[in-house]
Amino acid sequence: MSDPVRAPSKSARYLFVLIAGLLIGAVATVMIMRAIQARQDHFPSSLMTVMSKQTQLLSDSQKQNRCSINDTSPRLQTLRSLANDLEQAFPSLRDDQRFQLSASRLRATLNDALAKPPADCASLAAVSQKIGSDCKACHQDFR
């Protein structure tokens, strides 16, 4: 006698459909998130990231007792160049007086630092503290 062939259970089909639906849903979610991310402007966050890294490198130079003009001037020049793009990075704040004042204050601090570069760690500490306070003032108002 032969054994009757059993039909596949419905639960196996449901499990297959569930797994396929979850997989398709995950792929669709990733595609949608990538499309949304591609439409975002990364310039503001990139500018802040690079400025933050430059100030961190200034701080690292101070901690390593590498405070000569040759060590600090490139960082200050980079920060000054990046500060020129603040209004372009944040077009919605371009007309805000507080933002303009904060950006101008930062540029003035960097201009002063470049006009008379810090030659020792004590003056570098003062410049770094002033740059940090200018950045913090803007972040408190607009973050």
Side-chain angles (χ1 to χ4, degrees), residues 58 69 71-84 106-119 123-124 127 131:
L58 275 176
I69 293 173
D71 293 324
T72 59
S73 289
R75 306 285 175 230
L76 294 171
Q77 290 170 347
T78 301
L79 282 169
R80 180 58 181 93
S81 294
L82 293 170
N84 287 336
L106 176 62
R107 284 191 285 265
T109 298
L110 292 167
N111 287 340
D112 293 344
L114 287 169
K116 187 177 178 223
S123 57
L124 178 59
V127 167
I131 292 169

Side-chain angles (χ1 to χ4, degrees), residues 1 12-13 52 58 64 68 77-78 91 96 105 109 118 138-139:
M1 306 238 166
R13 283 189 226 150
S52 175
L58 275 176
Q64 297 168 357
S68 71
Q77 290 170 347
T78 301
D96 190 312
R105 197 175 302 135
T109 298
C138 188
H139 285 212

Side-chain angles (χ1 to χ4, degrees), residues 53-125:
K53 183 63 174 180
Q54 291 298 320
T55 56
Q56 181 63 44
L57 290 172
L58 275 176
S59 176
D60 291 347
S61 292
Q62 181 185 353
K63 290 175 186 171
Q64 297 168 357
N65 202 25
R66 298 186 68 196
C67 304
S68 71
I69 293 173
N70 292 334
D71 293 324
T72 59
S73 289
R75 306 285 175 230
L76 294 171
Q77 290 170 347
T78 301
L79 282 169
R80 180 58 181 93
S81 294
L82 293 170
N84 287 336
D85 293 330
L86 287 171
E87 285 85 357
Q88 278 191 318
F90 302 99
S92 62
L93 299 174
R94 183 179 296 165
D95 297 329
D96 190 312
Q97 290 293 90
R98 296 175 305 156
F99 182 74
Q100 289 176 356
L101 181 64
S102 293
S104 295
R105 197 175 302 135
L106 176 62
R107 284 191 285 265
T109 298
L110 292 167
N111 287 340
D112 293 344
L114 287 169
K116 187 177 178 223
D120 58 12
C121 287
S123 57
L124 178 59

